[in-house]
Amino acid sequence: MRPDILNPLFAEISVLKGVGPALARPLERLDLKRAVDVAFHLPVSWIDRILTDELDMADAGRVIGITLTAVDYKAGGGARAPFRVHAADAKGNIVSLIYFGKNSAWPRKLLPMGEPRFVSGKLETYGQELQMVHPDHVLPSEEAADIPAREPVYGLSEGLTNNRLRQLVRQAVERAPDLPEWIEPSLLAKKGWPGWREALARIHADPQDAIARERLAYDEIFAGQLALMLVRQAGRRRRGVPIAGDGRLRAMLQLPFAPTDAQLRSMREIEGDMAQATPMLRLLQGDVGSGKTLVALMALLNAVEAGAQGALLAPTEILARQHYETLRKMAAGLPVTIAILTGREKGKVRESTLMGLADGSIDILVGTHAIFQEAVRYRNLALAVIDEQHRFGVAQRMMLAAKAQSTPHLLVMTATPIPRTLTLTYYGEMEVSRLDEMPPGRQPINTVVMAASRLDEVVEALARHVGDGGQAYWVCPLVEESEKSDQAAAEARAESLQMRFGNKVGLVHGRMKGPEKDAAMEAFATDRTKILVATTVIEVGVDVPNASLIIIEGADRFGLAQLHQLRGRVGRGDKPSVCLLLRGNALSETSRARLALMRETNDGFRIAEEDLKLRGAGELLGTRQSGEAQLRLATPEHIAALIDMARDDARLLVDRDGGLSQARGEAARTCLYLFERDAAVGLLRSG
């Protein structure tokens, strides 16, 4: 159980003064549901406020704080026109305080005629006049001392102001207790870090406080490394069943090409791990098209040869069905029974599958989260393969392990090459196999960047491509953080293309029902439709060799790793392939750098390293979708700088300082609970 000392911090957000149902909604959109979430919602920037007695044109463009007195009100001529308060400083200089969307009573109440008020906001010029649009503070002069010269600025959602959030942060930080120190004393002294609570208070007071921010980042990274180390330690104490197949099924495979050296090396590593009594924990890391599925099949057949069962878990139904069909084709002619289980399998089909798993007549199961469910029982599950795609965390990996009589061997596959620092951050309990070469016959992909203003030319090129018998993907842009907006963009683009190409255009998006998605994918895979308009639902798992053109609309809105994944949908057949990136007109420097790198290289490992520099680690790995506590305090730069130090400190605690049983270990246990790595503590107890 979580230590009592942390309970005030983990209370529901409603304990903060002023939070009712109306305010809870915008807070929930920011994923702020508890006091700790608010305390860990760090500033994204800050305002340096100039405190002055006199209005000055030279301060235009800066945030000022000044005492003003209302001398006149001026209502606008229409319903949408602004309401103006003309106010004077101590020397009679005038500024217009402008309010939009408010009735005149509100500004009049804030700034009563003739009464001095402390006013803060961004000073601007309009012609020869000074103005301030929606001041951020208007207070009685005696309360001016409450407004800091440097004010943190937070990420917001509609219905939430920076001032309101700042007040909630103050309350949340006040609930934070003084905690015992978990950092090794000599390291703490060397870095000059403050205590945990002091660091939290300091970073909210001054977002430029690099020492406080580094301390908080280190704590989060340390908690993650300690959790992974405890998971690994618990795994070593568990007994598994050595698996050593005789090779008869693998020898029967009819492969169209010889495996690469990287595939053979990975197969040997996996086979060696499975032969041990200690359960395998291995990450198979490979670029798009590097042949992970063949390696996974070899591991699954190794289990079947030894009289056991294997399961392959995919993050989405589309990908599960893709894996199911791929494994069936690859294993055609083998005396192996492969079944699928997703949320869609119901009734007699589902019952038959469950019975086959229980009596051992099903050798390999492919599925989604449905294979976690209580009703699913295996006769002898010896190997679990998880096609991770960053949507399953440590806790979920352990849940699957609990489905077996003895701890099964575990192989996690990821299609996005991950920089070393993030591999250690998210998979530090695992050994790593890396597929760093491509199978023969994989076609190069020519990447072209074009302005969206040339859309008509793109459609004409698409017409020529389809006329020559080709197929193409058209990926619609991420409009905002919601599937609904992606759906709308995809539907609109499909409709416009159908006006030109008729029923040759298919559509797939995340909000379609399973059978609809399958039908659309099947029509494209069998060449009945020539153009598939899609959201990023096709980012992984879709394999149509005849599709040699992908058009990515709004490419400047995507991250590098996602663009690289999407590009990997083509280049799978025997034709040269093209990835066409349509960009907007106003490009940020980051977007420009991303698109230039996409043109320059197809090397996923290099792209992953660059993506880490340009984006946050959580954004890169999609940890918001994983169900795992994400990194909220550590930036990619912090990870790169601190990961080795945190791992060494965690190892020192486990190996020398008695694990979690001694004084520093007890403090570290609190740290694990603070950063919601509770599963590791539970594993340590159960081990």
Side-chain angles (χ1 to χ4, degrees), residues 131-151:
Q131 67 177 25
M132 193 182 290
V133 179
H134 281 277
D136 50 50
H137 296 283
V138 178
L139 299 169
S141 299
E142 60 271 17
E143 296 178 21
D146 295 340
I147 307 302
R150 171 166 288 166
E151 182 177 344

Side-chain angles (χ1 to χ4, degrees), residues 22-88:
L23 189 56
R25 282 191 289 274
L27 290 168
E28 190 168 344
R29 285 196 290 271
L30 293 170
D31 208 23
L32 306 181
K33 300 174 184 176
R34 303 160 302 176
V36 68
D37 301 326
V38 177
F40 284 172
H41 190 65
L42 300 189
V44 294
S45 63
W46 63 90
I47 295 169
D48 279 328
R49 182 176 287 105
I50 301 168
L51 302 178
T52 182
D53 296 325
E54 184 177 354
L55 293 164
D56 190 338
M57 284 277 187
D59 289 331
R62 306 174 76 177
V63 176
I64 67 166
I66 187 171
T67 299
L68 299 171
T69 304
V71 296
D72 183 32
Y73 303 131
K74 186 175 181 180
R80 296 187 179 182
F83 184 85
R84 298 173 185 272
V85 179
H86 294 131

Side-chain angles (χ1 to χ4, degrees), residues 498-519:
Q498 283 164 355
M499 293 174 67
R500 172 69 184 272
F501 297 100
N503 59 10
K504 293 180 181 178
V505 179
L507 171 66
V508 62
H509 56 71
R511 296 176 78 88
M512 291 169 68
K513 293 181 179 177
E516 292 178 286
K517 283 184 196 172
D518 285 350

